[in-house]
Amino acid sequence: MTDTSPAPAADLPTAFAPAEVEGTLYERWVQRGYFEADDKSDRPPYCIVIPPPNVTGSLHLGHAFEHTLIDALIRRRRMQGYEALWMPGMDHAGIATQNVVERELAREGLSRHDLGREAFVQRVWQWKVQSGGQISGQMRRLGDSVAWSRERFTMDEGLSRVVPTIFKRLYGDGLIYRAERIINWCVRCHTALSDIEVEHTEDEGELISIRYDDEVVVATTRAETMLGDTAVAVNPDDERYQHLVGTEVELPLTGRRIPVVADPHVDPEFGTGMVKVTPAHDPNDFEIGRRHNLPALTIMDELGVITAHGPFQGLDRFEARPAVVAALREQGRIVTEKRPWVHAVGHCSRCKTVVEPRLSLQWFVRVGPLAKAAGDAVRDGRVRIHPKDMEPRWFAWVDNMHDWCISRQLWWGHRIPVWYGPNDEVVCVGPDDEVPSGDGWTQDEDVLDTWFSSALWPFSTLGWPEQTAAMEKFYPNQVLVTGYDILFFWVARMMMFGLYANAEFGPERAIPFSTVALHGMVRDARGKKMSKSFGNVVDPMDWMDAYGSDALRFTLARGANPGTDVPIGEDWVQASRNFCNKLWNATRFALLNGARVGELPRAAELSAPDRWILSRLHTTLAEVDALYEDFQFAKLTEAIYHFTWDEFCDWYVELAKTPLSRGGTDAERTRLVLGHVLDALLRVLHPITPFVSEALWTTLTGRETLVTVAWP
RNA sequence: GGGCGUAUAGCUCAGCGGUAGAGCACCCGCCUUACAAGCGGGAGGUCACUGGUUCGAUCCCAGUUGCGCCCACCA
């Protein structure tokens, strides 16, 4: 550290005014390229890919939280001499974005069908530009030190090549297949959903028992599905009904005759021990149907409207239910009237509509070997999940995963790269393959689940499948920082695809990242979930306007216990603003008294308070360092807070007033200690509060920037 | 139906085998050589309940109760 002339302390106002420094500092950082990373450097790599925000609008506090943590990690490593890369980008967010734009259209009285596919997709791109701009503006405001030159979008040209590349590879390996299955269908979004896009809630329904004939009584919560029954099943070991197996019974209201079959799936203890079998509208029944070669009769269309059986035709499924019950009652076939029944009902995670199990032809990823590999990577320690108590959840899921339905009946997304020929040919078309042409060839109409492309993010953003310098340098990523809520949606899929796509590098290098650092959800001051319906949603921009980005970041970091939800209230942001101001004024005091950064006198020449504060400083720095390695943001922030306020300001600065007023060597010695402590303090705070740290540090030292300076 | 977590000051949370901590809120006094966005002082908790282990438990163990979360194809 070189000596500098005393800084112009008088220039510092008596209060920190964030708005006056944030914008200029950020733009300067970007212009000077501090956030960019060099693929070819000799420095050790440190790469975190951004969990790409959905282009559905703007960032919320949860993003601000996540970005604060990532930025702190990245900035610290950058200071430590790593080649630090925070890869920026956004996610097209298929169903979510399509829904947003459809809602917008609805306000104009239009549906996507009014526009047609091409025009609608155009419209979504327009939306994307707007939303994307908003998001990057917010990221700048937060101070995110991302390498802007590398920004990617899950539907940009490059990534749109990666998707069919991996699809074709998986298809060729038999890990992607097309099949007619019962999938979760959202009748509002008009698309298939994967299992995890369905949210189960305990809803009150009615369990109704229906008498099919004298001996056959079945129970159901979805009476309307009886129109599609093609059998009644009993347990093969159920003595009571042996004589019925193999006989037929007439299905009421339809006149159809359906068989009674014996199937082990039926629980003899439940109800009468007889179950209606509707293969086209229930996953269990579908399996029973398969085992017994039963026809699957679809009685409902993609809107949830009954398609058959005279009087019920054209009724919505929820209108059909009471109508069917009424008709059955008229025939005296309702045994138990409206018994209240709480059971788990699936809802579309996007629009909350009750999901309808539906038989349809969809594309699936065969997850068996992929999920096994994802489990093993954690089991054998190649990938560490932090905090560790999230691991059981990981294994429970990864080790029991069902095949992943990846086709979506949407327009916004990566089109499935498969063409069908006039003679039932099925051709998977890679990015460099010739598209089959001629009469009767058509491309699959569907798009891929949005998580299919985000699963590729850790390497698609680095130029995969090319062996780019960026891949070489930054794959595997060092850390992934994300919320525990998307452990399965995203992390598991990244693990599966990362390990698969990069298998050639061997087990150690195939993993997408070495560490998964999970954070919690931002909640309101009372610990309640933030949601529009509660009206407790806070726009991070409002708090940044009022208290500054540093204050918001400091608050979020201070609440960040690993994997734990973080409550946040305006009071706390205010307290953080006060902290920034405290730091500001401590520096101001030091500068007014001629503090400077220079070589410290020998220990023997230092006073007891000098030695004490220096010792406390170094202890604190060591603590902070250790806490960073364990992602203990709350604790490290707290440690800095206490050192700064309770020890440095309340004690050392107060005690310093005496030697400073004495002048001479006492004062000079004190100026150097003040300078020394502040220099280190501002550096260690930089990852959390980059703006105020930069402003004060450059004033204190007269140097260019803190961003690239050494970690204390 | 499984699995997990949690219960500490008014609120939100740390913590720890040896007579309880922070921030905010609250009370009393202060414009003291940076900071009233500040300074000094203070009040406030039988650490959910019941047992057990221990010289000693808020902390370890068991059970109870409350709350929360995740997973789940019993009609």
Side-chain angles (χ1 to χ4, degrees):
Chain A
M1 201 63 48
T2 53
D3 285 14
T4 56
S5 54
D11 287 0
L12 288 184
T14 59
F16 172 46
E20 285 170 27
V21 299
E22 288 176 359
T24 21
L25 286 182
Y26 191 83
E27 290 315 317
R28 189 189 300 161
W29 290 334
V30 171
Q31 273 165 29
R32 295 188 181 168
Y34 294 150
F35 301 159
E36 296 299 329
D38 179 2
D39 296 332
K40 304 206 173 70
S41 91
D42 295 329
R43 296 158 176 258
Y46 190 77
C47 177
I48 300 179
V49 293
I50 193 170
N54 293 351
V55 289
T56 44
S58 53
L59 302 183
H60 50 68
L61 264 183
H63 294 107
F65 175 51
E66 181 166 273
H67 291 202
T68 296
L69 305 186
I70 297 175
D71 200 39
L73 294 173
I74 287 280
R75 283 179 183 267
R76 169 165 173 269
R77 285 295 192 225
R78 189 180 288 123
M79 292 173 85
Q80 287 178 323
Y82 286 75
E83 196 61 43
L85 169 59
W86 183 2
M87 171 71 68
M90 298 175 204
D91 196 312
H92 70 282
I95 189 169
T97 309
Q98 172 158 335
N99 278 178
V100 168
V101 175
E102 283 191 287
R103 272 201 294 277
E104 238 202 2
L105 282 177
R107 278 197 286 274
E108 300 164 28
L110 295 170
S111 83
R112 66 175 153 131
H113 299 283
D114 294 323
L115 301 194
R117 186 163 186 157
E118 204 177 321
F120 177 76
V121 169
Q122 275 303 319
R123 176 85 184 226
V124 184
W125 274 105
Q126 280 171 27
W127 167 272
K128 183 264 166 188
V129 170
Q130 184 200 322
S131 169
Q134 199 168 342
I135 289 168
S136 47
Q138 288 176 296
M139 289 173 63
R140 287 166 192 274
R141 188 66 196 283
L142 277 162
D144 294 354
S145 65
V146 298
W148 285 112
S149 72
R150 297 178 189 248
E151 184 178 1
R152 303 303 297 270
F153 179 55
T154 53
M155 289 234 297
D156 67 23
E157 208 181 318
L159 271 57
S160 295
R161 289 176 56 81
V162 176
V163 166
T165 303
I166 199 92
F167 187 103
K168 189 179 173 184
R169 218 181 262 192
L170 286 161
Y171 183 70
D173 284 347
L175 294 171
I176 282 185
Y177 64 93
R178 193 184 195 212
E180 187 153 62
R181 291 280 178 80
I182 297 271
I183 43 77
N184 307 292
W185 181 269
C186 177
V187 301
R188 203 217 58 87
C189 300
H190 302 174
T191 182
L193 304 171
S194 62
D195 292 347
I196 45 175
E197 286 170 291
V198 177
E199 291 169 358
H200 294 271
T201 58
E202 298 274 303
D203 291 3
E204 183 143 315
E206 292 162 355
L207 186 67
I208 292 167
S209 295
I210 307 168
R211 183 190 309 282
Y212 281 5
D213 71 14
D214 289 345
E215 291 189 275
V216 178
V217 176
V218 298
T220 181
T221 52
R222 296 188 296 153
E224 72 284 6
T225 62
M226 61 82 60
L227 297 172
D229 284 5
T230 54
V232 169
V234 299
N235 189 286
D237 299 327
D238 195 332
E239 301 293 336
R240 297 170 293 176
Y241 305 127
Q242 285 312 305
H243 64 289
L244 291 174
V245 176
T247 65
E248 286 191 338
V249 57
E250 185 179 313
L251 185 64
L253 306 180
T254 68
R256 277 192 290 112
R257 296 194 66 79
I258 56 176
V260 177
V261 300
D263 193 280
H265 171 262
V266 180
D267 176 4
E269 306 294 317
F270 188 94
T272 57
M274 303 180 120
V275 55
K276 59 190 278 305
V277 182
T278 323
H281 295 279
D282 182 278
N284 292 314
D285 294 5
F286 180 74
E287 293 304 321
I288 296 176
R290 265 224 298 229
R291 288 193 283 272
H292 300 275
N293 250 321
L294 302 170
L297 199 60
T298 298
I299 56 138
M300 219 181 274
D301 66 12
E302 60 272 17
L303 298 171
V305 172
I306 304 295
T307 52
H309 303 94
F312 307 108
Q313 186 164 359
L315 291 183
D316 176 82
R317 54 189 170 149
F318 294 128
E319 298 166 353
R321 189 168 300 168
V324 166
V325 172
L328 289 168
R329 183 182 299 118
E330 216 160 281
Q331 297 185 4
R333 294 186 181 271
I334 300 298
V335 179
T336 313
E337 283 280 348
K338 303 200 165 189
R339 190 163 134 216
W341 187 254
V342 176
H343 61 141
V345 177
H347 299 259
C348 170
S349 61
R350 283 296 151 196
C351 69
K352 312 305 171 200
T353 302
V354 173
V355 159
E356 197 62 36
R358 180 178 164 80
L359 183 61
S360 70
L361 193 56
Q362 304 285 347
W363 286 93
F364 296 86
V365 171
R366 190 185 310 283
V367 296
L370 301 171
K372 171 73 164 56
D376 288 345
V378 175
R379 252 185 293 274
D380 64 26
R382 278 172 293 147
V383 177
R384 159 189 174 219
I385 292 182
H386 186 279
K388 204 172 168 55
D389 39 304
M390 289 288 176
E391 270 187 13
R393 217 184 259 199
W394 172 263
F395 293 126
W397 200 73
V398 156
D399 296 339
N400 299 294
M401 205 186 309
H402 295 313
D403 281 358
W404 171 19
C405 176
I406 50 171
S407 43
R408 297 289 179 279
Q409 289 62 50
L410 304 169
W411 286 351
W412 175 242
H414 294 280
R415 190 94 171 252
I416 289 179
V418 171
W419 291 71
Y420 306 108
N423 303 304
D424 297 331
E425 298 96 328
V426 176
V427 178
C428 183
V429 180
D432 298 314
D433 298 345
E434 199 147 322
V435 172
S437 56
D439 278 354
W441 282 90
T442 51
Q443 186 175 3
D444 196 299
E445 290 292 320
D446 293 348
V447 301
L448 288 163
D449 181 3
T450 197
W451 297 99
F452 189 94
S453 56
S454 43
L456 311 168
W457 194 244
F459 52 95
S460 63
T461 50
L462 296 172
W464 191 95
E466 259 58 69
Q467 251 322 296
T468 57
M471 272 300 283
E472 191 67 38
K473 184 80 184 170
F474 295 114
Y475 193 89
N477 307 157
Q478 276 57 48
V479 181
L480 178 83
V481 177
T482 194
Y484 62 72
D485 59 326
I486 55 174
L487 188 60
F488 306 143
F489 278 105
W490 193 41
V491 182
R493 271 96 180 245
M494 280 191 286
M495 287 278 279
M496 293 198 297
F497 280 5
L499 289 163
Y500 171 77
N502 298 287
E504 60 196 277
F505 299 139
E508 297 297 328
R509 283 211 55 207
I511 55 169
F513 24 69
S514 313
T515 299
V516 179
L518 296 168
H519 64 245
M521 305 297 115
V522 175
R523 294 170 168 269
D524 76 6
R526 304 189 66 86
K528 266 177 48 174
K529 189 173 175 175
M530 285 196 180
S531 79
K532 278 137 262 166
S533 48
F534 286 139
N536 59 354
V537 177
V538 174
D539 184 342
M541 297 299 265
D542 291 345
W543 280 351
M544 286 193 278
D545 286 344
Y547 307 107
S549 305
D550 288 326
L552 179 62
R553 293 172 59 120
F554 193 86
T555 309
L556 291 165
R558 200 176 184 186
N561 289 112
T564 308
D565 290 348
V566 28
I568 184 171
E570 186 160 0
D571 283 354
W572 310 345
V573 187
Q574 226 170 75
S576 300
R577 185 271 316 267
N578 295 352
F579 172 78
C580 292
N581 193 236
K582 189 73 179 173
L583 187 67
W584 180 273
N585 277 290
T587 310
R588 182 162 176 272
F589 168 84
L591 290 170
L592 285 168
N593 285 280
R596 63 198 181 84
V597 180
E599 201 178 323
L600 284 180
R602 287 184 321 233
E605 293 167 35
L606 294 172
S607 69
D610 292 341
R611 287 196 298 271
W612 171 75
I613 198 64
L614 290 171
S615 144
R616 284 297 308 136
L617 171 68
H618 293 118
T619 308
T620 305
L621 294 178
E623 254 175 58
V624 169
D625 246 351
L627 290 167
Y628 257 115
E629 297 302 326
D630 199 32
F631 305 102
Q632 298 285 355
F633 293 96
K635 286 178 190 154
L636 71 91
T637 307
E638 199 63 17
I640 298 174
Y641 181 94
H642 277 292
F643 173 78
T644 305
W645 203 307
D646 303 343
E647 300 186 310
F648 182 61
C649 289
D650 286 355
W651 285 101
Y652 188 75
V653 169
E654 289 307 319
L655 292 171
K657 287 173 182 174
T658 308
L660 284 172
S661 66
R662 260 202 303 267
T665 53
D666 275 355
E668 181 53 16
R669 186 204 76 222
T670 305
R671 290 186 190 111
L672 285 165
V673 174
L674 282 170
H676 180 88
V677 173
L678 279 171
D679 169 44
L681 192 53
L682 293 169
R683 280 192 277 161
V684 81
L685 265 167
H686 167 254
I688 310 281
T689 56
F691 295 108
V692 68
S693 297
E694 175 87 341
L696 292 173
W697 192 82
T698 52
T699 309
L700 176 71
T701 63
R703 293 174 65 190
E704 284 276 296
T705 185
L706 186 47
V707 176
T708 54
V709 92
W711 178 250

